[in-house]
């Protein structure tokens, strides 16, 4: 829905990696210092489980910031599917550098691949329905762009990036503004070029949002019956996004009602890291 800007993504990658290395290495890796300074090594990263890969640029950036002399040879690209035992990347360089960067690099690769894998699972369930799967702002702090990019690698789409690029008028905003119509009117006056989405919880609120000219209407925890009725009532006058109580058991049924989008917070907040391993070989 809202494409990820490649310039913003690049800036995020640099910042993500800088923060991760500061957190892990601080003023020096005393463990790597146990190894001879000029010792060279070769390493390869393998996956122990099936996954959709994401995080190549984060791994590259880890070693760019640590030691630009490390050479990486990737066997996969973001979005590729892999099987247990597959080699993802091979690295050659100073043993100290490989070991110092190992954890930060694998943390990014295992988390983002897990996010992409989870998104791909749900996207596959929606095949043939014509419904687009959206992420939410329920991301790990500091890693929003990273996780949203990972969702796109799994075939999903990015919802608004934050509180600045589109309106999502929710229950508390509606109450504070004095109603749905007043909230939409205020949004149009404040930022005429921004898309306005309104969260609704009842068919009556849906009607108010339609009458006030919302661009997108979120159907929050609507029953399947009410969702089908909402699609018929809306009849193309606004895009419809279903949200709330969406899981593997309910996803397809919701999609079959005819909504345009389904959003799932679980895509980014409930991921389990992919099991990866780096194997190091000292070159004598």
């Amino acid at each position: 829905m809202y494409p990820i800007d490649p310039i913003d993504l690049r800036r995020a990658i640099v910042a993500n990696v800088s923060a991760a290395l500061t957190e892990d290495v601080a003023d020096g890796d005393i463990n790597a210092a146990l190894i001879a300074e000029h010792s060279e090594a070769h390493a390869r990263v393998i996956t122990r489980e099936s996954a959709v890969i994401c995080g190549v640029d984060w791994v590259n950036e880890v070693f760019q910031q640590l030691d630009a002399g490390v050479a990486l040879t990737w066997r996969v690209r973001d979005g590729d599917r892999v099987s247990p035992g597959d080699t993802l990347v091979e690295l050659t360089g100073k043993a100290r550098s490989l070991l110092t960067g190992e954890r930060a690099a694998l943390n990014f690769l295992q988390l983002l691949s897990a996010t992409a894998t989870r998104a791909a699972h749900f996207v596959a369930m929606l095949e043939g329905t014509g419904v687009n799967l959206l992420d939410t702002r329920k991301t790990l702090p500091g890693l929003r762009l990273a996780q949203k990019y990972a969702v796109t690698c799994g075939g999903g789409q990015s919802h608004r990036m934050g509180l600045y690029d589109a309106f999502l008028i929710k229950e508390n905003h509606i109450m504070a503004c004095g109603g749905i119509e007043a909230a939409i009117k205020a949004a149009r006056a404040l930022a005429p070029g921004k898309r306005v989405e309104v969260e609704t919880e009842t068919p009556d609120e849906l009607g108010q949002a339609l009458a006030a000219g919302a661009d997108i209407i979120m159907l929050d925890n609507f029953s399947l019956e009410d969702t089908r009725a909402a699609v018929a009532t809306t009849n193309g006058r606004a895009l419809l996004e279903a949200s709330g109580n969406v899981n593997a058991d309910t996803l397809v049924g919701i999609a079959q009602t005819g909504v345009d989008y389904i959003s799932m917070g679980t895509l980014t907040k409930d991921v389990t890291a992919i099991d990866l391993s780096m194997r190091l070989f000292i070159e004598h």
Side-chain angles (χ1 to χ4, degrees), residues 36-235:
E37 181 179 359
H38 298 295
S39 180
E40 295 287 317
H42 175 80
R44 67 173 180 265
V45 175
I46 65 168
T47 178
R48 298 187 185 279
E49 57 185 301
S50 299
V52 174
I53 293 302
C54 180
V56 168
D57 286 343
W58 282 262
V59 175
N60 290 341
E61 184 64 23
V62 165
F63 292 101
Q64 180 64 35
Q65 291 191 24
L66 274 178
D67 179 357
V70 172
L72 295 91
T73 303
W74 284 93
R75 306 303 181 192
V76 296
R77 297 177 296 179
D78 285 347
D80 284 354
R81 293 180 179 271
V82 296
S83 301
D86 284 353
T87 295
L88 308 182
V89 61
E90 297 187 53
L91 308 93
T92 303
K94 290 183 178 180
R96 285 187 177 186
S97 299
L98 298 184
L99 291 171
T100 297
E102 175 185 6
R103 179 43 51 204
L106 292 188
N107 280 351
F108 284 118
L109 195 58
Q110 68 189 20
L111 170 69
L112 298 183
S113 294
T115 305
T117 302
R118 190 166 183 81
H121 170 72
F122 289 114
V123 167
M125 293 180 66
L126 291 173
E127 187 175 357
T129 66
V131 175
N132 294 299
L133 185 67
L134 302 179
D135 57 24
T136 71
R137 287 167 49 238
K138 296 176 182 177
T139 53
L140 295 179
L143 292 175
R144 177 165 297 170
L145 260 172
Q147 283 198 287
K148 282 178 166 285
Y149 169 73
V151 168
T152 68
C153 287
Q157 294 186 21
S158 174
H159 205 302
R160 61 181 184 148
M161 195 60 59
L163 297 172
Y164 55 88
D165 52 355
F167 290 100
L168 177 45
I169 301 171
K170 307 186 82 170
E171 179 183 9
N172 287 333
H173 302 108
I174 293 168
M175 179 187 66
C177 289
I180 289 176
E181 181 181 3
I184 293 177
K185 184 177 180 180
R188 299 293 189 201
L190 179 64
K194 300 289 186 181
R195 183 174 286 183
V196 177
E197 180 171 0
V198 178
E199 178 186 74
T200 62
E201 297 179 345
T202 66
D204 179 65
E205 290 180 350
L206 168 68
Q208 293 178 50
L210 282 171
D215 300 309
I216 308 174
I217 300 173
M218 179 188 290
L219 309 176
D220 185 35
N221 282 297
F222 273 45
S223 67
L224 289 180
E225 181 181 358
D226 284 345
T227 302
R228 281 190 289 267
V231 171
T233 298
T234 302
N235 194 28

Side-chain angles (χ1 to χ4, degrees), residues 259-273:
V259 294
D260 301 287
Y261 302 104
I262 297 177
S263 57
M264 299 179 70
T266 188
L267 296 180
T268 51
K269 71 183 182 69
D270 296 327
V271 296
T272 300

